[in-house]
């Protein structure tokens, strides 16, 4: 009776969260592939997954859940399972709503904006639930991949086995960037990277934060928790959008993935209702919202309004003993342009300068040949010269949406479809034509066709690639939702048997 009373009270006090939990439960039951039984022998094609971060674990879980064998190659040790989330502060968490961070259908978030501890827990639970512990090789940095005489992939050397496909899941965040600022040796206070703030003390101090992207969010969370004051020094004109799932979803609905005639509407609304009295901190009209990944944070402007933070746009001149010389620029003045030199006092400096991008240089040289070098690949992830390679979540530059959502599974299932079904597999010629078409459609995009995209544009890419080839129609439910694989697999097996009898085997179609 007490338990029933507790449940009723929970439903009464948290109705929205209860509905969210119910949705997650339904998604898990409907869309999660069944984990393989212990010691199961999985079928080929066998996939090599490079990286045991969120994307690598999710991709591998999808593969084994659909009965295909995998091996994960992780450069670090077991502590690295979880990727970047294994290396950030305990206070770090999602800035986007977890509804848009469902990297596998079986993920169960306890709240809308989980912290690092729960995120890393969900990744590692997924890794264990799908039996990936025995399929992970730790301390194995991948230096090169190449094909044998049968077209199978070799990872480093033949002792690691042979694979029909590769999922490169190295992400976009490697080692922390720590720039060398002039006069840095003269600064009396400590200098930390934004990912190394656990256990640090800044109570009652003035903190200089260098950088205004996602790493700055980590720094601001630390500063707010310490009741300190922050001076945020930024060089570029970056949009800030509120931490609101409805707004994030609406912005991601721009299916064109670039600035349009109507882009001024959300930009104007953000200036009026979000920036309000701080509209001078917003980018100028020449810097569109759909050109670069925005900073997702509601607190930064409130900290500025409360006098606990200053947002300063300009160029760093150098450290002094107790602060920073800074060239403060007005709105719209480009980097290095004219401004007024000011002194910014600081007791501590936090480098919110992001991370080095991991290199894909282990892939064959031909995948980097212009004009089809990354990110200018088929669906942004498949190099035209090697359709059996999927660079999942590691070629994008800027986006509105998220890197940790359902598309991880969709990309993985595209790869499985290409490997299993020759008629669904695109030849290099048609992969290049799709890239050319996308470039033409986004010819007006200032940074190039693939330098910025939205989530709805990504869904449009997926839909188009399925619809354009009738031999992929039978795979649609599997690719989009991970269900109904038996039908296309059965058709492909019958095609193989017919080919064996007639001596005529299917060839790739567009």
């Amino acid at each position: 009776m007490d338990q029933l009373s507790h449940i009723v009270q929970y439903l009464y006090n948290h109705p929205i969260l209860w509905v969210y939990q119910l949705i997650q439960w339904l998604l898990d039951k409907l869309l999660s592939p069944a984990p393989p039984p212990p010691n199961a022998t999985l079928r080929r094609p066998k996939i090599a997954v490079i990286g045991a971060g969120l994307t690598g674990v999710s991709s591998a879980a999808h593969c084994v859940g659909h009965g295909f064998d995998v091996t994960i190659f992780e450069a670090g040790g077991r502590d690295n399972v979880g990727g970047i989330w294994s290396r950030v502060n305990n206070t770090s968490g999602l800035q986007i709503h977890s509804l848009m961070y469902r990297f596998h259908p079986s993920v169960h978030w306890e709240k809308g904006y989980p912290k690092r501890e729960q995120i890393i827990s969900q990744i590692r639970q997924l890794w264990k639930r799908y039996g990936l512990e025995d399929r992970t090789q730790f301390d194995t940095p991948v230096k090169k991949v190449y094909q044998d005489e049968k077209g199978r992939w070799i990872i480093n050397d033949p002792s690691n086995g042979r694979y029909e496909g590769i999922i490169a899941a190295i992400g976009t965040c490697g080692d922390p960037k720590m720039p060398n600022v002039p006069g840095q040796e003269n600064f009396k206070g400590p200098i930390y990277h934004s990912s190394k703030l656990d256990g640090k003390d800044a109570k009652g101090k003035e903190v200089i934060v260098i950088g205004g992207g996602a790493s700055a969010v980590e720094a601001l969370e630390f500063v707010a928790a310490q009741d300190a004051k922050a001076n945020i020094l930024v060089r570029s004109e970056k949009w800030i959008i509120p931490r609101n799932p409805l707004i994030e979803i609406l912005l991601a609905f721009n299916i064109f993935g670039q600035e349009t005639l109507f882009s001024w509407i959300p930009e104007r609304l953000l200036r009026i209702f979000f920036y309000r009295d701080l509209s001078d901190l917003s980018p100028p009209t020449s810097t569109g919202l759909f050109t670069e990944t925005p900073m997702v944070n509601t607190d930064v402007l409130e900290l500025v309004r409360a006098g606990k933070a200053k947002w300063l746009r300009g160029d760093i001149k150098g450290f002094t003993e107790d602060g920073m010389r800074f060239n403060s620029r007005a709105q719209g003045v480009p980097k290095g342009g004219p401004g007024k030199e000011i002194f910014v006092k600081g007791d501590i400096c936090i480098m919110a300068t992001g991370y080095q991008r991991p290199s894909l240089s282990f892939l064959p040289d031909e995948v980097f040949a212009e004009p089809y070098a990354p990110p200018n690949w088929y669906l942004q992830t498949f190099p035209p010269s090697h359709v059996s390679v999927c660079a999942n979540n590691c070629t994008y530059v800027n986006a509105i949406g998220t890197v940790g959502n359902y598309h991880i599974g969709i990309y993985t299932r595209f790869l499985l479809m290409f490997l299993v079904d020759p008629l669904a597999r695109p030849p290099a010629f048609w992969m290049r034509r799709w890239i050319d078409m996308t470039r033409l459609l986004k010819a007006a995009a200032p940074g190039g066709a693939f330098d910025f995209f939205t989530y709805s544009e990504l869904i449009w890419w997926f839909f188009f690639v399925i619809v354009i080839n009738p031999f992929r129609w039978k795979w649609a439910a599997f690719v989009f939702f991970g269900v109904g694989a038996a039908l296309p697999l059965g058709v492909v097996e019958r095609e193989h048997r017919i080919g064996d009898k007639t001596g005529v085997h299917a060839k790739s179609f567009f």
Side-chain angles (χ1 to χ4, degrees):
M1 194 69 180
D2 289 341
Q3 186 177 8
L4 178 61
S5 175
H6 178 74
I7 293 173
V8 172
Q9 186 177 7
Y10 177 82
L11 295 179
Y12 179 79
N13 293 331
H14 307 281
I16 295 177
L17 189 57
W18 180 83
V19 171
Y20 183 38
Q21 298 289 351
L22 178 62
I23 292 172
Q24 293 185 95
W25 180 84
L26 289 172
L27 290 173
D28 183 9
K29 296 301 179 184
L30 293 173
L31 302 180
S32 291
N39 303 316
T41 300
L42 302 178
R43 63 177 174 265
R44 299 192 86 96
K46 188 174 183 180
I47 314 298
V49 178
I50 302 173
L54 178 150
T55 302
V57 170
S58 175
S59 299
H62 281 289
C63 287
V64 300
H66 296 301
F68 297 95
D69 202 0
V70 301
T71 298
I72 301 176
F73 294 91
E74 168 55 46
R78 291 178 67 94
D79 290 344
N80 279 45
V81 174
I84 186 62
W85 286 111
S86 68
R87 305 192 299 272
V88 297
N89 306 304
N90 288 323
T91 55
S92 299
L94 286 184
Q95 292 303 308
I96 56 171
H97 196 278
S98 56
L99 183 65
M100 303 173 69
Y101 209 75
R102 298 199 54 77
F103 54 88
H104 193 273
S106 66
V107 168
H108 283 263
W109 300 117
E110 295 174 2
K111 54 185 179 180
Y113 297 93
K115 291 293 186 182
R116 173 209 178 256
E117 183 180 1
Q118 192 192 356
I119 297 168
I120 202 73
S121 173
Q122 287 293 309
I123 298 171
R124 291 175 179 174
Q125 285 178 34
L126 180 67
W127 181 64
K128 292 179 180 179
R129 184 161 56 247
Y130 281 83
L132 298 174
E133 290 178 280
D134 297 332
R135 292 182 165 87
T136 303
Q137 289 187 205
F138 292 109
D139 302 312
T140 309
V142 174
K143 302 296 185 182
K144 64 176 179 178
V145 300
Y146 60 97
Q147 290 177 298
D148 64 12
E149 66 281 357
K150 294 183 179 180
R152 296 172 300 182
W153 290 102
I154 295 172
I155 311 299
N156 291 336
D157 61 69
S159 66
N160 288 316
R162 286 171 167 81
Y163 304 84
E164 283 74 30
I166 292 176
I167 296 177
I170 60 175
T172 60
C173 298
D175 295 329
K177 286 182 184 176
M178 285 292 285
N180 186 21
V181 178
Q184 189 167 316
E185 68 280 0
N186 299 323
F187 185 59
K188 290 183 177 180
I191 300 175
Y192 307 119
H193 189 266
S194 58
S195 63
K196 306 294 182 183
L197 298 176
D198 283 344
K200 305 300 188 293
D201 181 22
K203 290 182 180 178
K205 297 181 179 179
E206 290 203 43
V207 181
I208 296 173
V209 178
I210 298 178
S215 295
V217 175
E218 280 192 294
L220 287 171
E221 288 171 340
F222 168 77
V223 170
Q226 295 276 328
D227 195 26
K229 291 186 178 180
N231 293 297
I232 309 156
L233 311 184
V234 298
R235 290 191 65 195
S236 60
E237 306 278 8
K238 183 177 287 289
W239 279 94
I240 307 172
I241 62 175
R243 198 186 191 203
N244 184 297
L246 179 60
I247 292 175
E248 293 159 15
I249 291 171
L250 289 174
L251 292 177
F253 264 113
N254 177 0
I255 197 170
F256 301 100
Q258 60 182 322
E259 288 289 296
T260 68
L261 291 174
F262 304 102
S263 296
W264 65 271
I265 297 175
E267 293 165 7
R268 180 65 174 162
L269 291 174
L270 283 171
R271 288 190 176 97
I272 293 174
F273 296 106
F274 182 56
Y275 283 91
R276 303 196 307 273
D277 54 314
L278 299 175
S279 60
D280 60 311
L281 300 185
S282 67
T285 54
S286 59
T287 302
L289 178 59
F290 299 99
T291 58
E292 187 179 6
T293 304
M295 179 180 178
V296 183
N297 188 269
T298 301
D299 297 332
V300 59
L301 296 183
E302 294 306 318
L303 289 171
V304 172
R305 290 188 179 99
K308 294 183 178 180
K310 292 181 180 179
W311 185 275
L312 303 173
R313 178 195 300 110
D315 306 289
I316 293 171
K317 306 297 288 185
F319 276 104
T320 66
E321 289 187 353
D322 53 355
M324 180 84 65
R325 291 168 45 240
F326 188 73
N327 179 48
S328 179
R329 290 185 272 108
Q331 185 185 55
V333 177
K335 299 174 185 178
K340 178 182 179 182
E341 184 170 317
I342 62 174
F343 172 72
V344 181
K345 186 180 182 304
D347 305 302
I348 297 172
C349 179
I350 299 175
M351 296 288 189
T353 43
Y355 301 85
Q356 303 284 348
R357 180 181 281 268
S359 175
L360 288 166
S361 59
F362 54 83
L363 294 176
D365 291 341
E366 56 266 27
V367 307
F368 302 102
E370 295 288 354
Y372 302 103
N376 301 292
W377 285 352
Y378 188 66
L379 294 176
Q380 204 182 48
T381 60
F382 296 92
S385 54
H386 290 291
V387 70
S388 57
V389 173
C390 174
N392 206 340
N393 263 358
C394 54
T395 57
Y396 78 95
V397 182
N398 289 290
I400 289 183
T402 172
V403 298
N405 213 346
Y406 280 109
H407 66 279
I408 297 173
I410 293 175
Y411 273 129
T412 301
R413 292 187 291 271
F414 262 114
L415 175 65
L416 295 175
M417 176 182 71
F418 293 159
L419 293 175
V420 168
D421 190 349
L423 291 173
R425 187 182 308 144
F429 175 84
W430 287 111
M431 295 172 79
R432 295 187 182 103
R433 298 298 77 78
W434 180 87
I435 296 167
D436 294 339
M437 178 194 71
T438 305
R439 283 171 168 159
L440 180 63
L441 292 174
K442 298 182 70 174
F450 295 95
D451 284 6
F452 180 90
F453 67 93
T454 62
Y455 213 77
S456 58
E457 182 187 13
L458 193 65
I459 299 302
W460 151 247
W461 291 352
F462 296 154
F463 179 78
F464 176 86
V465 167
I466 290 291
V467 170
I468 195 65
N469 183 343
F471 292 103
R472 295 178 190 146
W473 295 356
K474 62 183 178 291
W475 289 97
F478 173 72
V479 169
F480 283 109
F481 305 108
V483 299
L487 171 63
L489 283 172
V491 172
V492 171
E493 288 174 3
R494 286 194 293 272
E495 290 171 347
H496 283 321
R497 287 197 295 270
I498 293 172
D500 290 339
K501 291 180 180 179
T502 62
V504 179
H505 290 275
K507 294 183 178 180
S508 298
F509 192 66
F510 69 88

